[in-house]
Amino acid sequence: MGGQKESNNGKKLKLLCLHGFRTSGKFLQKQISKWDPSIFAHFDMDFPDGIFPAGGKSDIEGIFPPPYFEWFQFNKEFTEYTNLEECVSYLTEYITSNGPFDGLLGFSQGKVLKEHPPMKLFVSISGSKFRDPSICEVAYKDTINVKSAHFIGAKDWLKLPSEELATAFHNPLIIRHPQGHTVPRLDEAATEQLRGWTVDILRCNNCGLNNNYDEMENGLIENVQKEPRTENDSKEEMINANAGKTEVEVLDAAKA
């Protein structure tokens, strides 16, 4: 996978992708693979597993094979966190060994570390802010100047917290979808929005790739690739829509 040196030479940017509560890196990778491949064609995407084995039943049992993981634990009100420091230490070491990374994509649980160099982009799927006041005072004191995209579901139990998280960023891209607490399938309009957003980031990163970006923007892949729906897909979406109702995403982007 390409590192920072490759990014500076006009090659792929590197994206750290953090999975949801009691799922896995491979499960998130499967979910993202249903998106049009042109969106992240110029990115290397890394999907690590959470540091802790799942401490209870996973909502994707019977949909996707184990093992399942979690990044840390929390109370019902999402104001107290257990093993958060251990999670931070683990990700710090992971980033040191495998990074640096140009951006973060996260669903359900995740955190960008302050020790990491400034990120270029941040993708939040069903995200919310920390609710611990001591963390909020530091994390959201100033507007976060990172290019961000926020997926907000009409039926997501974290709809309002997701909207609140978006306000913490400068000029966020908000992509709404009719689904619940899940990594959504993207229709043509959402695909064009997200693809255009990544194209702009790549142009800013290195103007030398303009020809490649123009091909993407002009419709290198013109139509959203719609996979035939299967019974298993429907079961997966049903479970994802109801999943995580005892979880919270705590995504905090590094400030530029």
Side-chain angles (χ1 to χ4, degrees):
M1 285 179 278
Q4 191 67 35
K5 181 177 180 180
E6 288 185 334
S7 296
N8 291 337
N9 288 334
K11 296 185 180 180
K12 291 186 175 183
L13 299 183
K14 197 165 185 178
L15 197 60
L16 180 63
C17 306
L18 303 181
H19 66 78
F21 187 62
R22 293 179 182 170
T23 63
S24 66
K26 288 183 179 179
F27 180 68
L28 178 59
Q29 186 173 16
K30 176 190 174 184
Q31 292 177 299
I32 297 299
S33 71
K34 295 178 181 179
W35 292 358
D36 191 307
S38 68
I39 295 172
F40 292 116
H42 291 277
F43 292 82
D44 274 333
M45 304 178 76
D46 194 344
F47 296 84
D49 289 324
I51 181 173
F52 299 104
K57 181 178 174 59
S58 170
D59 288 313
I60 63 171
E61 289 182 18
I63 296 297
F64 194 83
Y68 312 120
F69 304 90
E70 53 197 48
W71 294 102
F72 53 89
Q73 299 78 40
F74 41 84
N75 67 352
K76 184 177 180 180
E77 292 75 27
F78 312 134
T79 56
E80 297 179 3
Y81 310 101
T82 304
N83 293 319
L84 181 58
E85 289 304 317
E86 288 82 351
C87 171
V88 170
S89 297
Y90 173 80
L91 286 176
T92 299
E93 175 60 30
Y94 189 89
I95 287 172
T96 300
S97 301
N98 299 278
F101 291 89
D102 299 286
L104 170 77
L105 180 150
F107 174 75
S108 182
Q109 290 186 327
K111 187 176 189 292
V112 179
L113 308 179
K114 294 179 181 178
E115 294 83 355
H116 189 281
M119 292 283 181
K120 296 181 176 70
L121 69 149
F122 172 69
V123 181
S124 170
I125 305 170
S126 295
S128 70
K129 290 182 176 182
F130 280 109
R131 298 186 187 182
D132 182 330
S134 65
I135 297 177
C136 292
E137 289 173 2
V138 175
Y140 314 114
K141 180 180 179 181
D142 301 312
T143 300
I144 302 172
N145 292 310
V146 173
K147 291 183 180 296
S148 64
H150 303 258
F151 288 85
I152 301 176
K155 299 178 181 179
D156 191 351
W157 63 284
L158 280 178
K159 177 183 176 181
L160 293 180
S162 293
E163 292 173 338
E164 183 184 12
L165 175 63
T167 65
F169 290 79
H170 174 69
N171 194 27
L173 169 65
I174 296 177
I175 300 177
R176 298 184 182 276
H177 62 86
Q179 301 168 51
H181 191 70
T182 185
V183 176
R185 289 178 178 268
L186 304 185
D187 61 18
E188 186 172 358
T191 295
E192 290 302 322
Q193 278 185 293
L194 188 59
R195 181 163 53 202
W197 181 77
T198 59
V199 166
D200 287 342
I201 290 171
L202 290 163
R203 278 202 175 117
C204 291
N205 185 67
N206 193 310
C207 294
L209 289 180
N210 275 352
N211 290 336
N212 289 339
Y213 307 150
D214 288 340
E215 287 181 359
M216 291 172 62
E217 208 169 30
N218 291 333
L220 179 61
I221 300 179
E222 294 180 355
N223 300 316
V224 180
Q225 295 188 357
K226 298 181 179 178
E227 302 177 14
R229 295 177 60 81
T230 65
E231 181 180 353
N232 201 50
D233 285 334
S234 298
K235 288 174 61 182
E236 177 183 326
E237 288 182 3
M238 182 184 304
I239 287 183
N240 280 336
N242 295 313
K245 294 194 176 180
T246 58
E247 65 179 278
V248 64
E249 181 180 73
V250 285
L251 292 160
D252 170 26
K255 300 178 181 179

